[in-house]
Amino acid sequence: MAMTDKRSPWQDEFNTPSIDDLRMDLPVPAAELFDATRDFLLGHGGLVEGMRWFGDCWFWTVAYYLENENTEEDEPVAIIVPAPDNLQVASPLDQEFLSQLNTRRMKRAIRDGLDLATEPYSTHWAVWPVAAKNMFEDVTSLLGQRLNWLQGS
């Protein structure tokens, strides 16, 4: 009897995975950056973590919401996309936040991710790969600015 390919917990729409389920498909360097990103977001304060299905684009994600929001209805402030071959962080950004950013000193990869949230693209989600520690630091710095802005500090 041949073994069938088992679907990754990340792609299994009908079974909500645990953090450990999502983490186990990641290679070691990505798993470490996944952990560091979670630690950053949970350590910022005022956020709650949950699982959110984003369809065939991002599959299961680890989503972060402001504490006072209904996680079933509200848009997350950030998500981690635990794609085994391309760990990503995404955040919905509004034009008011984008307009106050000084992007001239940002690295190209950060600006490219921000560009996805602006015209001519039909989405307001910025997306960044988090494949290396320096990219993690740049993304979390920007997310920190976003969270401070949202929380009014």
Side-chain angles (χ1 to χ4, degrees), residues 35-146:
D35 293 342
T37 305
R38 285 187 65 229
D39 290 347
F40 170 80
L41 289 164
L42 291 171
H44 194 274
L47 295 179
V48 292
E49 181 179 73
M51 294 296 171
R52 179 107 179 229
W53 176 255
F54 271 94
D56 290 338
C57 176
W58 287 330
F59 302 105
W60 282 106
T61 66
V62 184
Y64 296 86
Y65 302 87
L66 295 174
E67 281 180 338
N68 58 348
E69 292 184 348
N70 178 341
T71 58
E72 295 299 314
E73 297 173 12
D74 289 317
E75 193 167 59
V77 295
I79 62 172
I80 302 172
V81 183
D85 59 342
N86 186 17
L87 180 67
Q88 297 175 335
V89 172
S91 181
L93 302 177
D94 53 48
Q95 291 307 310
E96 187 179 351
F97 174 73
L98 288 169
S99 67
Q100 58 88 41
L101 282 177
N102 180 1
T103 58
R104 287 188 300 153
R105 293 184 168 246
M106 291 181 182
K107 291 181 183 165
R108 171 134 190 133
I110 297 297
R111 289 193 318 266
D112 287 350
L114 288 170
D115 285 347
L116 294 173
T118 60
E119 294 290 335
Y121 299 104
S122 60
T123 180
H124 62 286
W125 283 85
V127 183
W128 303 276
V130 185
K133 184 145 177 63
N134 65 337
M135 190 65 178
F136 159 79
E137 291 167 353
D138 293 337
V139 168
T140 54
S141 173
L142 180 62
L143 287 176
Q145 288 178 50
R146 170 76 172 149

